[in-house]
Amino acid sequence: MDRTTNKQIPPLKCVQVNVQHSRASTSNLIEHMTTNKIDIAFIQEPYNIRNKLAGIPKHMKIYSQGHGRKRAAVIVNNKNLDVVAITQLSEEDGLVIEAKYHNFTFIGASMYFDILRNVEEDLQKIKNIIDGNPGNGIIFLVDSNARSKLWYDIQTNPRGQTVEDFIITNNLYLANNNIDKPTFETNWGRSWVDLTLTNSRLLKYISNWDCGVEESSSDHNLIALEIGEMTQKEGTHFDTIKYLVNEESFNKFDNVLTGILIKEF
C-alpha cells in the first residue's frame, strides 16, 4: 500500500536577466518582480554605485559578494524563502545561494562569464560548486558570452565548444527551450548566450522556462522559469535524466565520447 500523500507546493517564480549595470533596467526589473510576485531574481551585471548594489528596495533581500564591482547577484522577494549565501564559493562574478522552501532545498548560482577571460576559468567555478554540493539539486543561471547550436543559436564559436564539452562531461542539462527568441538582441545582431543549467537532481522541478515575454529595458531579454512542482509525493525522490535530443547534441556527445574512449584505451 502506498502511504505517500500529495502535498501542494506552489512553485517559486524566478527570473534571470543581465541588466547591464543600468538603473532603468533595474527599476523595470523591480516593478516586474513586485507586479508579478516574483520570488527570486538571478541577475548579471547589476546596477552598482561605488561597488555596492543600488536601486533595490529595502523590503527585498540582496545577495552579492566581494569588494569590487558586482557582476552577479540574487534578489529575494519572498519572506517564506530561507536563503543563505555560500560565501566560500561566491565572488563578484558569481553568487551562490542555498535556498530552503517548504522542506525543499536547492543550490542556485547567478554567474557572469567575462568575454575577455578564458572561459575555462569560469567553468572551473561551476565545477567547484558541483563538487562542493554533492547530493544537492543545483541550478546555474549564467550569462556565458558563448554561442552554440546546442542551445539553439545559429552558430557555434570556440567559447561555445568549450562550454558544450563541459556541460556534457559534467552531466548538466539545459533548461533553455528551442524558441525563436534570442536571449540577447540589439539593432546590430542577436544571440543566445544566457543559459539556465541544472543537474539531474533538480531537473524534475524546473518548468515553464520562457524568454522575452516581458520587457527588460536591457539588450538581454528577461528569462522566466519556475522551480518546484505543484504536486509532490511526500517520501518520493526524483533523480531523472533529461537528454538533449537535437542533432547538434547527438553529434557533440558522439565526439566527446570518442575522445574519452581514445584517452582511456
Side-chain angles (χ1 to χ4, degrees):
M1 179 178 178
D2 184 4
R3 295 181 179 276
T4 60
T5 58
N6 287 341
K7 182 179 181 180
Q8 296 298 318
I9 301 176
L12 291 171
K13 298 172 69 176
C14 306
V15 294
Q16 169 186 357
V17 67
N18 182 324
V19 297
Q20 300 180 303
H21 299 300
S22 165
R23 181 174 183 176
S25 296
T26 301
S27 297
N28 184 82
L29 172 63
I30 297 303
E31 181 180 353
H32 174 73
M33 292 182 69
T34 302
T35 303
N36 296 280
K37 297 181 179 179
I38 302 300
D39 299 297
I40 311 178
F42 295 87
I43 310 172
Q44 292 81 49
E45 294 196 286
Y47 178 48
N48 284 237
I49 296 179
R50 297 186 181 91
N51 295 330
K52 294 184 179 180
L53 267 63
I56 301 167
K58 293 182 178 179
H59 70 270
M60 294 184 180
K61 293 183 179 179
I62 308 169
Y63 298 86
S64 63
Q65 187 68 22
H67 301 291
R69 194 183 196 196
K70 313 301 186 297
R71 294 195 290 187
V74 172
I75 301 175
V76 174
N77 186 36
N78 185 337
K79 294 181 179 179
N80 296 318
L81 187 58
D82 183 14
V83 174
V84 177
I86 305 177
T87 57
Q88 63 269 32
L89 293 172
S90 301
E91 36 84 34
E92 287 86 349
D93 289 354
L95 196 284
V96 186
I97 62 168
E98 179 186 70
K100 296 181 179 180
Y101 177 66
H102 292 286
N103 297 319
F104 178 71
T105 302
F106 67 93
I107 304 298
S110 175
M111 307 189 75
Y112 178 80
F113 289 5
D114 191 328
I115 196 169
L116 300 178
R117 186 168 55 222
N118 188 331
V119 72
E120 292 185 357
E121 295 181 28
D122 289 308
L123 294 174
Q124 182 59 49
K125 295 175 186 177
I126 289 185
K127 186 66 165 60
N128 293 341
I129 296 169
I130 295 171
D131 293 343
N133 294 278
N136 290 322
I138 310 174
I139 184 170
F140 301 96
L141 304 104
V142 185
D143 179 353
S144 70
N145 280 309
R147 305 183 66 177
S148 169
K149 293 180 181 179
L150 191 66
W151 44 89
Y152 312 110
D153 205 322
I154 60 174
Q155 65 173 276
T156 299
N157 62 14
R159 285 176 62 90
Q161 292 176 353
T162 302
V163 176
E164 285 178 9
D165 293 345
F166 181 87
I167 289 173
I168 294 171
T169 57
N170 287 277
N171 299 315
L172 294 176
Y173 308 95
L174 282 162
N176 297 55
N177 290 331
N178 184 15
I179 59 176
D180 188 30
K181 186 69 175 179
T183 66
F184 179 81
E185 191 170 20
T186 70
N187 292 331
W188 299 276
R190 58 201 320 232
S191 60
W192 285 252
V193 295
D194 299 294
L195 307 181
T196 308
L197 303 170
T198 183
N199 64 356
S200 61
R201 286 187 175 273
L202 194 62
L203 184 62
K204 181 73 175 182
Y205 298 94
I206 296 175
S207 61
N208 296 326
W209 190 98
D210 206 349
C211 176
V213 176
E214 298 288 342
E215 172 60 43
S216 68
S217 299
S218 167
D219 291 339
H220 291 258
N221 286 313
L222 189 76
I223 292 171
L225 65 147
E226 294 182 350
I227 302 176
E229 295 181 321
M230 289 299 294
T231 302
Q232 173 190 337
K233 282 191 173 182
E234 293 180 345
T236 302
H237 173 68
F238 295 102
D239 193 10
T240 60
I241 295 177
K242 175 184 178 182
Y243 293 97
L244 304 174
V245 293
N246 60 23
E247 182 178 357
E248 188 75 17
S249 66
F250 278 127
N251 294 337
K252 191 65 185 178
F253 177 79
D254 183 61
N255 291 337
V256 171
L257 180 59
T258 300
I260 292 173
L261 290 174
I262 292 174
K263 182 178 179 180
E264 292 295 327
F265 299 103

